[in-house]
Structure formats: structure tokens, C-alpha cells
Amino acid sequence: MTSHVQLPPTTFPQVSTARRYVVLAVCCSSVLLASLDNTIINVALPSIARDLQASLSTLQWTVDAYLLVLAGLLMFSGSLADRFGRKRVFATGLTIFTVGSAMCGLSTSEEWLVAFRVVQAVGGSMLIPVALAIVTKVFTDPTDRARAIGWWAATSGVGIAGGPLIGGFLVDSAGWKSIFWLNVPIGVVAVIATMVLVPESKAAQPRRFDPVGQVLVVAFLTALIFGIIEGGRYGWTSPLVIGGLALAAATLVAIIVYESHRTEPLLRLELFSNFAFASSFAISVLGFFAFAGMLFANTLYLQTVRDLSPSAAGLLTLPLAAATIIAAPLSGRLLAGHGPRTPLLIAGAALTVGAAALLPTGAGTPVYWLILPYAVFGVGYGMLNAPINDAAVSELPDDQVGVAAGIVSTAKQVGSALGVAIIGSVLVTQSGGSLAEGWHSAGVLAWSMIACAGVLIVAITLGMADTPVADHGPVPERSAARQRM
């Protein structure tokens, strides 16, 4: 007779109510830093270009180096935390992110800035997934946990939406390096607080590492983004560009072949046979492509074509940020009452209309004409997250929910990286080297591509089922997974 030994779950010390909320504040502050760095860099790009004599392709890499590494390491960092301890990995991530921020602030060349953005992103990849795991462990009461996760998600949204506004005033008042130095004192305090206050926890049965799969994913993303960005600089027939895109295709095939034969793969490819999950993945890529591409193009339009100061450009994005913050909770209510289709249709339509309204913009476009398109676009972005997260996990068994959440989170970062790469390359090739002079043709194509992403979101959504969240059942693991994405 064979005996079966059941591994006990890892113990987690009880903490006081006051300490729980201090831990929540630490986790929220770290997520704020990581999410801010997704978007705050955009408003500083023209200042970086002038100071470091950087090309437009280098500006693309300044943004995409961070997004690429974040996308490539999110799931790996979550596995590290489950195996070696969430507190340990979280503190390590904070330390690396803080050191990387200081190094960015000391950069004296475009090459070093891009390299140190990679360091930042390595640390950032350990913050977002691990912070949520810590919050869900500290708050054991379901009601308190839901409230805490809500604050965590809201903090991330505020950081992403408010990045251009905060960055604009920092760049004008203290220079572009200040957007990196801002992270240092907050990071130092957060590291100390983590070491003193955050309890340690591990997974009872952590997933196996998949180093080959991890290397293949990073190689695929890097080769793909390299080919797209450098295609704008060297031309699409350049052997370097063709080689990069060919490598991306080869590594994609290798990922499919290798991961389909692993027992515990980094990417569970069978998830893509589920229409709801596959649709959520595609909409994540498209929606975040539109948002990141819009921020990148809009920054260059406001500061290069219209010659506005960083603070004025940041202030003009306030309607976008405000609309995003207002629309996000409304999206949750629509999701609860009507299912994911309604908010996703609104999101796709708003992204399309907002981008299309920017088609005729030029150097002499009145400022008031920009306010409404920005606000409409913000509504579209604010409506995206909740239904994407819900649809991705709503039809999956509980043992696949965590992996699905990680893949969709990665899809959002991939979409953002593609947005900067593709829209940036369009601006380079269509402007003839001078955005100020060639904006009309470049801007029309850029806004058209972003609007098309919204149209595709609508088309995909029309094929999705519309089941209210309440019909999915009260599964705690599913609720936490929705929030972590």
C-alpha cells in the first residue's frame, strides 16, 4: 500500500491591523514607482534627446528597454518569489530598481541610459506580481482583502495615468534626470520598511523553473522589437533588420515546439484554445499598443511639433488621466452587471474615436480641440482592464487561473512595447527625419493605426460571451487573479 504525504501549506504569521495597512502602503508605493516608470518617461523624451543628442530610435529604446525586460521577467519573478520567499524577492527587486533609478539619473550618454533602464526593469519585474502576493497573504479576511486589492489596483492605475502629468512638472522644474531621482528616496524607505515589517512567505509547492522557455521568450521579444525599431532607422531591407525579424520568427517556432512538450511550461499554450482567454490576450496587446503608442506620439507632437514645455504638455494630458481614473470603476460596475462585452465595446469604440479625432491635428490646431479626444481616449483605456482580467480567467479551471493571469499581464507589457516600437518607426519613416516638418503624413498614419487597434478590439469583443461576473461564482483565487493583471 502506497502512502501519500501531503505537504503542509507554508505558515504565515498573524499581523496586527495597523501593521497590515503599513505593509499595504509599502506594496502600493512600490507598485506606484513601477507603474509610473511605464509612462513618466514619455514626457521627458524630447529633453533627453536634446541633452544627450539622442535619435528617435534611441528614445524608443529608452521606453522599450524597460517594457521588454518587464514583459520577459514578470512570470519568472513570480516563480522566484514562490520558491525563495516573497519578502526576500520583493526587497531584492526594490533594491535593484532603486539602484537602477540612481544610475539612470547619473547617465551621461544615450547608451548608458538604455542600459540602466534595463537594470530598473529587472527590479520592477519583481515588484508588481510579488506585491500582490504579499497583500493577499497579509489580509486574510475576504472583505479586507478585496478592499486592499482594490487600493493596490487603483494605485497602479493612478501611476500609469498620472505619469505624464507628474513627469512634465518634474522635467520643467528640475530637469529630466529628476524623474529617476524621485524613485531613490522612496525606494530606500520602502526597502527598509520591507525588511522590518513585511512577513516572509513561500508557496508550499512552487512551480518548476523553465530556463529554456524563459530564454526563448526574452530572445523572441528582443529580436521582434529590435527589428521593428531599427527598421525605422536602417530601412526594412537592411540585413540587420531582416536578421532580427527572422530570429524573432525562429524563436517563436521554438517556443511553440518546446513549451508544448513540457510538463510545467512557462507558457501553457493550451490556454489559447479557450476563446475567452485568447480574446483577452489579443485585446490586451491591442489596447496597450494603442495606449503606449498614443503617449509616445502625443509627447513628440506636443513638445516637438507644437514646441510646448514639458509641464504644459503634461498638463494637457490631464483630461486623459482624469477620464481614465473615472472610467475604471465604472467599468467594474458594467462588468458586474452586464459582463465583459459592454465595457470592452465602449473601450474599443472610445479608443477608435479618440484617435480618429486627432487625425487633423497639426502645429496650429487649437488647444481646446485636443481636450475632448484626450478625454475620450482616456475613457477607452479606463474601460479596458477590468473586463480583460475577468474574461481571461472566467472560463478556466482554478489550477490554470494564476498562469493565465501572468500571461495576460505579460501581454499588456508586450502590447506597450509594440506600441512604442511600431508607432515610433512610423514617425521616423513618414516624417523624413523632421517631425516638425513632416508631422502631417506621419501623424495621420500613427493615429490611424491606433484607431485601427480600437476597431479590432470591437471586432474581437463581438464574438465574446456576455456573462456577468456574479455568474462565475465566488472563487477567491479567481478574484485575486483578476486584480493582479
Side-chain angles (χ1 to χ4, degrees):
M1 186 175 186
T2 305
S3 61
H4 298 278
V5 179
Q6 184 175 1
L7 293 175
T10 55
T11 58
F12 194 83
Q14 293 293 321
V15 296
S16 66
T17 300
R19 186 178 173 187
R20 286 192 194 104
Y21 283 96
V22 173
V23 171
L24 176 62
V26 172
C27 290
C28 284
S29 66
S30 68
V31 169
L32 180 64
L33 292 180
S35 57
L36 265 177
D37 263 63
N38 271 341
T39 57
I40 197 172
I41 186 71
N42 282 281
V43 77
L45 292 177
S47 298
I48 293 172
R50 287 191 297 269
D51 192 20
L52 300 182
Q53 301 298 306
S55 64
L56 184 55
S57 62
T58 299
L59 297 183
Q60 290 173 268
W61 278 116
T62 304
V63 180
D64 267 358
Y66 184 87
L67 295 171
L68 263 178
V69 175
L70 209 61
L73 296 183
L74 272 177
M75 289 187 287
F76 177 70
S77 295
S79 299
L80 278 180
D82 287 343
R83 182 173 295 273
F84 296 110
R86 298 178 181 113
K87 172 182 177 178
R88 179 181 300 175
V89 171
F90 187 65
T92 302
L94 275 170
T95 302
I96 295 172
F97 184 87
T98 303
V99 171
S101 297
M103 294 164 76
C104 287
L106 294 171
S107 299
T108 56
S109 71
E110 53 188 297
E111 294 82 9
W112 281 116
L113 178 59
V114 172
F116 295 148
R117 285 283 284 169
V118 170
V119 176
Q120 253 194 322
V122 171
S125 72
M126 301 180 189
L127 301 183
I128 297 174
V130 182
L132 181 64
I134 291 171
V135 169
T136 56
K137 281 293 183 181
V138 169
F139 288 87
T140 54
D141 178 76
T143 302
D144 290 342
R145 179 185 295 167
R147 188 178 295 113
I149 290 175
W151 278 107
W152 180 91
T155 302
S156 177
V158 169
I160 292 173
L165 180 63
I166 297 169
F169 285 100
L170 283 174
V171 172
D172 260 355
S173 60
W176 64 267
K177 293 185 178 182
S178 63
I179 66 172
F180 299 112
W181 287 113
L182 172 70
N183 299 332
V184 175
I186 300 174
V188 170
V189 172
V191 170
I192 296 171
T194 298
M195 298 305 297
V196 174
L197 296 171
V198 175
E200 183 61 281
S201 65
K202 301 178 182 178
Q205 293 179 307
R207 296 177 68 231
R208 293 180 182 177
F209 288 129
D210 181 8
V212 175
Q214 182 67 62
V215 170
L216 287 174
V217 167
V218 172
F220 165 68
L221 292 175
T222 303
L224 177 63
I225 299 302
F226 174 86
I228 295 172
I229 290 178
E230 300 305 325
R233 179 193 289 185
Y234 297 113
W236 299 103
T237 57
S238 165
L240 195 64
V241 173
I242 294 173
L245 295 176
L247 178 61
T251 50
L252 178 60
V253 172
I255 288 170
I256 294 171
V257 173
Y258 180 78
E259 294 292 280
S260 63
H261 290 87
R262 275 190 60 85
T263 306
E264 291 188 41
L266 180 71
L267 297 174
R268 296 186 65 163
L269 299 179
E270 70 272 16
L271 290 174
F272 289 92
S273 64
N274 179 282
F275 181 78
F277 173 81
S279 298
S280 297
F281 182 90
I283 292 172
S284 296
V285 173
L286 290 167
F288 280 74
F289 163 89
F291 183 69
M294 188 273 185
L295 288 184
F296 188 82
N298 190 59
T299 295
L300 296 175
Y301 164 65
L302 293 177
Q303 294 188 54
T304 303
V305 178
R306 298 187 66 107
D307 200 27
L308 296 179
S309 67
S311 58
L315 190 61
L316 264 179
T317 64
L318 183 58
L320 188 153
T324 298
I325 294 170
I326 293 170
L330 294 178
S331 176
R333 293 180 186 178
L334 287 172
L335 173 67
H338 302 282
R341 279 187 64 185
T342 300
L344 283 176
L345 287 172
I346 295 173
L351 292 175
T352 301
V353 172
L358 293 171
L359 285 171
T361 54
T365 303
V367 170
Y368 66 80
W369 178 264
L370 303 175
I371 294 174
L372 185 59
Y374 290 170
V376 172
F377 198 91
V379 169
Y381 179 66
M383 283 281 170
L384 269 178
N385 266 303
I388 286 174
N389 297 349
D390 176 76
V393 300
S394 60
E395 298 180 6
L396 298 177
D398 296 342
D399 63 342
Q400 295 182 4
V401 166
V403 176
I407 294 174
V408 172
S409 294
T410 299
K412 294 175 182 179
Q413 304 302 327
V414 171
S416 296
L418 287 172
V420 174
I422 294 174
I423 298 302
S425 292
V426 165
L427 296 179
V428 170
T429 56
Q430 295 296 313
S431 65
S434 174
L435 279 176
E437 297 176 2
W439 174 258
H440 179 70
S441 59
V444 166
L445 184 54
W447 299 134
S448 297
M449 294 181 71
I450 293 169
C452 285
V455 172
L456 289 173
I457 289 173
V458 171
I460 294 170
T461 302
L462 289 173
M464 297 174 65
D466 211 9
T467 306
V469 171
D471 295 347
H472 298 158
V475 183
E477 293 84 356
R478 202 180 301 279
S479 299
R482 289 188 185 108
Q483 296 288 353
R484 88 170 53 117
M485 294 188 286

